[in-house]
Amino acid sequence: MDISKAIVLLSLLIILIPNSHISAANPGFPDSMHSQDSIQLLFKTRIDNAGNDNIKRIEAHFEFGEYLNEEGKTAESILQFTKAFRIAQDVENDKQIANIGNCLANLYAATGNFEASNQTYKIALASAEKTNNSGEIAKISMNLASNYNYTGDYDKAIKHGLYALKTKESTQNLERICYHYIAMGNIFRENNNTVKWEEYVTKAYKMKDVEGCASLSDRAKIYNSLGGIAVQKGELEKGLLYYDTLFALSNKAGYEQGICTALTNSAGVYKQLGDYTKALEMANESEQYFGDNPYDVIFNNNFKAELNQLQGQYLKGLKLASENLKIGEIENYSTEKLKTLKLLYELNFHLKNWDKAFFWNDSLRATESRLRDEDIRQSLEELETRYETEKKEQQIELLTTENKLKNQRIDAGIALLVVLLIVILLIVYILQIRKKQSQLIQNELRQQVLRAQMNPHFIFNVMGSIQGFLYNNEAKKAAEYLGKFAVLMRSVLEFSSQETIFLKDEITMLKNYIELERARMKIPFDVDYYIDPKMETDFIEIPPMLLQPFVENAIKHGMQNLNYQGKLSLQFREKQDQLEVEILDNGSGFTKSNNIRHNSKALEIFQQRRKGIERRFKKELNFELQDLKTIDVTQHGVRVFIRLPILNHD
């Protein structure tokens, strides 16, 4: 039994056993009371003895929860913390609500229940603000920010993270300030903002040796973050040095989590360096430091399976990926589950287990679709919740207005009519505002649905080509083609849920799509790109997947059955705050047989998206579609010209 448990047990015995029974010769309890069951019995007896003393009941349930958590009994620990939390709420003890709520929310987050965790953090934060305890306010707010960061709600993550830092810095409360700097840096890391990430990590590094500013785990996180930044910049050897420092620091202090992190991250760097043997060695070594978190096991199995795949050891990799499916908690980690399914497909493909390869490929696509559908369902639920909230708010406002009218004493009839008229106008105004808000929300949701409708346009032709390769026993070509297709679909799935993307990413996706189309043609068409060198494509934001349907039409209807070399040209220019895009092909132009080029479903969806974008951002989107013969009879083909508003968030 460690020291902390011994202290808890001793304090319990002092409370529960009369002084006359405690002596060096006769301690008053048998040796069996040192067992876990005996300790739990003592806690339960302490709770019973607390009676109606709410403070003692809170302390007993809370300390019981701490003990159970140390024993790894998370569910039972949550139950005891919840009881303590509710009693604290009943007696309105804000100090206890803040402290217990923070611990309870931490456990919820550890089990993957982020909805309950966020709600509990918010209650705890409100109580901490009532006590004016800056340290508690900052700690809870930063924990809440970390939750939002983990679930991808970056706006709320940044908001609560900055609030925590402002609270600490404005009160000159430097206790564990490094933890807050590191947590804030991690939020920007998830946003791929390496500059801001490094800025906050540097702040933490400068303060790490100031007394009270950093714990052992904080210093470990600092070196881990410095290593991550170096790797992000491509400075792999420098990253390894930081991870070595993390390992030495953690090893000296017996900090197993830090050792595990150093080994795992070093393994990742060696993988990038191509030293797969060293990477596998370090991944295996890290396993002895795993805690009870199943995520560590799942992640490590996937990592080692990828290394086995790179080394051609497909059976070993397949065994590791299969082990992940036996871990029930994999359902809580969608990214790692998708990685596992992808490995099962690819490894079976390499082993020529065609039936299993196609089975796992189907499972992978189904899981991706389910996750996308869940995002849409969540958006619908949020819309419904907002609508119901607005209805209740309107009812409350109406009732408030009626009560005010009943309580007013009107001396003259004219005054009464005036008041009634004002109330009616106010209600009409409020209803109009609510209606406009609801329409805006519906338009945003409709735009997401339209994006989802565009996804099938990418799929059917490519799948037909893959099927053709397989029928012709061109497995290697099919695998290469399917790999490119998987990269494209990953981009589509990622971009379809975003309101805007960077121009660089849109161009990369278009290039990938065009290469797929060229690869399946017997005589590939030529393609030419012109990107204005003055443009900063890394920073220009536009609506996602707006251009692909026109590129698809140019290829599908313009590059088929030509008796000369086909050519496709894409040009991008920036003019003031607008992006000009020109898509040219030298195909047959508009004919009766391909008149669909300007009456297609893709064009219909584009026009709907165009209206939504103009309504949402209050910016005009211009579009032109021309048959080149109408300009010059010696030319043939189609010109598509689009002038897009740049949607950067200024």
Side-chain angles (χ1 to χ4, degrees), residues 247-262:
F247 180 86
L249 173 69
S250 302
N251 192 42
K252 181 178 180 180
Y255 181 43
E256 294 191 350
Q257 181 61 51
I259 298 173
C260 181
T261 300

Side-chain angles (χ1 to χ4, degrees), residues 239-447:
L240 283 175
L241 291 176
Y242 280 124
Y243 292 143
D244 287 344
T245 303
L246 168 61
F247 180 86
L249 173 69
S250 302
N251 192 42
K252 181 178 180 180
Y255 181 43
E256 294 191 350
Q257 181 61 51
I259 298 173
C260 181
T261 300
L263 292 170
T264 301
N265 290 344
S266 295
V269 177
Y270 281 114
K271 179 185 175 185
Q272 291 187 57
L273 290 170
D275 191 344
Y276 303 140
T277 302
K278 184 67 174 179
L280 191 60
E281 175 187 327
M282 303 199 82
N284 287 328
E285 186 180 352
S286 70
E287 292 178 355
Q288 62 182 297
Y289 300 102
F290 285 174
D292 297 327
N293 189 350
Y295 176 82
D296 292 336
V297 178
I298 296 169
F299 175 87
N300 204 51
N301 283 344
N302 280 336
F303 180 78
K304 293 197 295 183
E306 289 173 344
L307 290 174
N308 291 144
Q309 183 182 23
L310 291 169
Q311 293 177 301
Q313 300 174 352
Y314 304 129
L315 284 174
K316 287 185 178 180
L318 185 61
K319 182 179 178 182
L320 287 165
S322 300
E323 287 177 0
N324 276 350
L325 295 182
K326 300 176 184 177
I327 303 174
E329 289 84 355
I330 195 173
E331 298 298 331
N332 298 329
Y333 311 108
S334 57
T335 301
E336 291 304 318
K337 182 178 180 181
L338 288 173
K339 193 184 296 182
T340 297
L341 294 175
K342 183 174 182 290
L343 282 166
L344 288 169
Y345 154 65
E346 292 177 346
L347 291 167
N348 276 293
F349 193 93
H350 285 303
L351 292 168
K352 299 183 179 180
N353 298 330
W354 309 122
D355 291 342
K356 291 182 179 179
F358 279 105
F359 171 80
W360 290 117
N361 182 57
D362 288 343
S363 298
L364 174 62
R365 304 309 167 198
T367 302
E368 289 174 337
S369 297
R370 177 178 59 80
L371 291 173
R372 185 175 67 250
D373 291 344
E374 286 179 356
D375 289 340
I376 295 175
R377 176 185 56 77
Q378 184 178 358
S379 297
L380 289 169
E381 289 175 353
E382 290 176 355
L383 178 61
E384 182 180 7
T385 300
R386 292 183 186 180
Y387 173 71
E388 292 298 330
T389 301
E390 288 170 0
K391 281 176 59 180
K392 291 178 181 179
E393 288 176 352
Q394 291 177 11
Q395 292 170 357
I396 291 171
E397 289 170 357
L398 287 171
L399 289 172
T400 302
T401 304
E402 290 175 2
N403 289 333
K404 287 181 178 179
L405 287 172
K406 290 177 182 179
N407 294 330
Q408 289 176 351
R409 295 181 179 181
I410 311 283
D411 296 329
I414 296 177
L416 177 61
L417 289 174
V418 171
V419 172
L420 288 174
L421 181 60
I422 292 173
V423 171
I424 291 171
L425 291 174
L426 178 62
I427 293 172
V428 171
Y429 177 71
I430 292 172
L431 290 175
Q432 287 178 341
I433 291 176
R434 300 301 184 196
K435 184 178 180 180
K436 289 181 179 178
Q437 290 176 339
S438 297
Q439 288 175 345
L440 181 58
I441 295 169
Q442 290 170 359
N443 288 335
E444 290 175 349
L445 182 59
R446 188 178 297 112
Q447 186 171 338

Side-chain angles (χ1 to χ4, degrees), residues 76-334:
E76 296 176 34
S77 175
I78 288 175
L79 178 62
Q80 294 301 323
F81 279 140
T82 301
K83 290 180 179 180
F85 189 56
R86 288 174 179 171
I87 297 171
Q89 287 179 290
D90 289 340
V91 299
E92 298 181 354
N93 188 325
D94 288 313
K95 182 179 179 181
Q96 293 281 29
I97 292 172
N99 180 45
I100 300 169
N102 183 62
C103 296
L104 178 58
N106 283 338
L107 281 182
Y108 279 135
T111 60
N113 189 349
F114 289 100
E115 183 178 354
S117 179
N118 290 346
Q119 186 61 31
T120 307
Y121 274 136
K122 290 176 183 177
I123 296 172
L125 180 59
S127 290
E129 288 172 336
K130 291 179 183 178
T131 65
N132 291 321
N133 186 328
S134 62
E136 200 73 9
I137 293 170
K139 177 174 63 178
I140 297 171
S141 187
M142 188 59 79
N143 287 342
L144 182 56
S146 297
N147 264 15
Y148 284 128
N149 185 42
Y150 186 83
T151 55
D153 196 341
Y154 300 125
D155 288 342
K156 291 181 180 178
I158 292 173
K159 172 186 173 183
H160 285 282
L162 291 175
Y163 175 54
L165 280 175
K166 181 179 178 181
T167 302
K168 294 282 283 186
E169 292 174 343
S170 64
T171 58
Q172 293 296 306
N173 185 342
L174 299 181
E175 183 180 1
R176 289 200 67 192
I177 189 71
C178 291
Y179 159 77
H180 293 80
Y181 286 139
I182 289 295
M184 196 69 216
N186 287 339
I187 295 173
F188 286 107
R189 179 194 65 189
E190 295 299 323
N191 279 277
N192 295 318
N193 190 336
T194 306
V195 174
K196 296 295 290 185
W197 178 22
E198 185 173 13
E199 176 186 327
Y200 281 101
V201 172
T202 301
K203 287 183 178 181
Y205 181 78
K206 291 178 179 179
M207 298 291 291
K208 67 181 175 60
D209 295 322
V210 178
E211 185 177 357
C213 288
S215 66
L216 170 63
S217 64
D218 295 334
R219 287 192 288 273
K221 290 173 183 175
I222 290 170
Y223 286 111
N224 185 50
S225 296
L226 289 170
I229 292 168
V231 172
Q232 185 81 7
K233 292 180 174 181
E235 301 171 349
L236 302 183
E237 297 294 345
K238 185 177 180 180
L240 283 175
L241 291 176
Y242 280 124
Y243 292 143
D244 287 344
T245 303
L246 168 61
F247 180 86
L249 173 69
S250 302
N251 192 42
K252 181 178 180 180
Y255 181 43
E256 294 191 350
Q257 181 61 51
I259 298 173
C260 181
T261 300
L263 292 170
T264 301
N265 290 344
S266 295
V269 177
Y270 281 114
K271 179 185 175 185
Q272 291 187 57
L273 290 170
D275 191 344
Y276 303 140
T277 302
K278 184 67 174 179
L280 191 60
E281 175 187 327
M282 303 199 82
N284 287 328
E285 186 180 352
S286 70
E287 292 178 355
Q288 62 182 297
Y289 300 102
F290 285 174
D292 297 327
N293 189 350
Y295 176 82
D296 292 336
V297 178
I298 296 169
F299 175 87
N300 204 51
N301 283 344
N302 280 336
F303 180 78
K304 293 197 295 183
E306 289 173 344
L307 290 174
N308 291 144
Q309 183 182 23
L310 291 169
Q311 293 177 301
Q313 300 174 352
Y314 304 129
L315 284 174
K316 287 185 178 180
L318 185 61
K319 182 179 178 182
L320 287 165
S322 300
E323 287 177 0
N324 276 350
L325 295 182
K326 300 176 184 177
I327 303 174
E329 289 84 355
I330 195 173
E331 298 298 331
N332 298 329
Y333 311 108
S334 57

Side-chain angles (χ1 to χ4, degrees), residues 46-47 108 147 230 312 314 325 415 548 560 570 615:
R46 179 181 170 187
I47 292 169
Y108 279 135
N147 264 15
Y314 304 129
L325 295 182
Q548 188 275 340
Q560 304 298 324
L570 279 77
R615 188 182 298 111

